[in-house]
Amino acid sequence: MNRQAQAVVLLLFGGAIVKAASTDLYLRYVKEGLRPFLLLTGAFLVATALFTLWYEYRPRPDRQDAHAHHEPGVGWLLLLPVIALLLVAPPALGAFTAGQAGTLTAAAESDYGPLPEGDPVPVGLLDYASRSIYDDARSLAGRRVQLTGFLSAGPDGGPMLARIVVSCCAADGRPIKIGLTGGPAVDVPSGTWIQVTGRHSTRRAKDPVNQADIAYLEVEQWQPITPPKQQYE
C-alpha cells in the first residue's frame, strides 16, 4: 500500500473515532469520561492524514512520472473494516457476555455508609452486591432499593439482573449479576432492560462459571425500560 492509501485509511479511521465520540455511540466501547481523549485522538489522526495527502499531491518540480510505479491494489482491502466501523456499529455488551463470564467478585470495604435518602433508593448492582455479601446487608436492612439492568438467565434457569462493569473499555468488561426471587414473575426475554424495586433477600447462590457469590433481591415490582444511554456500570 502506498502512502496515499495509508493516508486515506488513517483519514477514515480518525473520522470514525470522531463520529463515535460526537454521539453516544462511543459509550458502547469506553467509559463516559474518555470522550475528550477520543475527540482529540480522532482529530489528530484526521489532521495527520490530510497533511500527508497534501504533502503527496502538492506540485513539485522534481516529481517523477506518477504512473511510473504501481503499488499492489490489494492494500486497499484494509479500507473494508474501517468502512464497516463507520456504517455498522456493534451493540454494547449484554446478556451473551453475562452468560459466558462469571459474576464480578465485589470488592470488600471496611466501612459501608448508609444508603442515600429516598424510597426506593436507586443503587448500582455492584454496590448492592458488595453491601449484601461483604456487609451482611446491614446497610440494606429495612430499605427498598431500585436496581436497573438487563435480564439474564441464572444457573438454575431463574431470572437474574445483570450489568457489565468496565474499568476502562468494553475489552475489560465483566458482568455483575443479582438474582431475582419472589414477587411478580419476570417474564420478558433475556437481554431486556428492566427496572426492579424490592428488598434485600438472604438467599445466595454460586455462579457456576467462577463460583463467586451471587446476591439476591426480593422483588416487589418491575417494569421494562428503554436501555439507558450509559449501559455499562
Side-chain angles (χ1 to χ4, degrees):
M1 177 182 284
N2 59 25
R3 190 172 297 178
Q4 293 93 329
Q6 294 172 6
V8 171
V9 172
L10 194 63
L11 178 64
L12 290 176
F13 187 62
I17 295 176
V18 172
K19 176 188 174 183
S22 298
T23 66
D24 292 335
L25 181 61
Y26 80 102
L27 293 174
R28 300 182 184 182
Y29 309 104
V30 298
K31 300 192 75 171
E32 190 169 11
L34 295 178
R35 174 181 242 169
F37 302 100
L38 287 178
L39 289 171
L40 288 173
T41 301
F44 176 77
L45 293 178
V46 169
T48 301
L50 292 176
F51 178 80
T52 301
L53 290 172
W54 170 83
Y55 180 82
E56 287 297 310
Y57 287 106
R58 82 191 198 284
R60 292 198 306 247
D62 60 340
R63 181 183 295 275
Q64 301 295 322
D65 184 0
H67 300 285
H69 302 282
H70 297 280
E71 299 288 342
V74 69
W76 287 96
L77 293 177
L78 292 174
L79 289 175
L80 295 180
V82 180
I83 294 174
L85 180 62
L86 282 168
L87 299 179
V88 181
L93 300 179
F96 177 79
T97 301
Q100 299 298 310
T103 189
L104 189 65
T105 302
E109 297 181 10
S110 59
D111 181 35
Y112 290 87
L115 291 175
E117 296 296 327
D119 184 38
V121 56
V123 178
L125 269 63
L126 186 58
D127 187 24
Y128 178 85
S130 300
R131 291 172 182 271
S132 174
I133 296 171
Y134 294 106
D135 192 39
D136 293 327
R138 283 187 287 266
S139 57
L140 299 171
R143 300 297 303 273
R144 295 172 70 240
V145 298
Q146 186 179 78
L147 307 181
T148 299
F150 56 81
L151 195 66
S152 179
D156 58 353
M160 304 199 79
L161 195 65
R163 201 153 181 173
I164 304 299
V165 179
V166 300
S167 300
C168 172
C169 58
D172 61 34
R174 290 279 305 280
I176 181 68
K177 309 173 188 178
I178 303 295
L180 303 177
T181 186
V186 182
D187 54 359
V188 292
S190 179
T192 302
W193 279 82
I194 61 175
Q195 195 171 75
V196 184
T197 300
R199 298 178 184 273
H200 176 259
S201 170
T202 57
R203 182 178 173 182
R204 293 275 182 87
K206 292 285 187 181
D207 192 315
V209 179
N210 62 351
Q211 298 302 309
D213 287 324
I214 295 178
Y216 272 73
L217 179 76
E218 187 78 25
V219 178
E220 294 182 354
Q221 62 185 38
W222 66 274
Q223 62 178 357
I225 62 170
T226 301
K229 181 182 74 171
Q230 175 56 278
Q231 298 188 26
Y232 300 138
E233 185 170 306

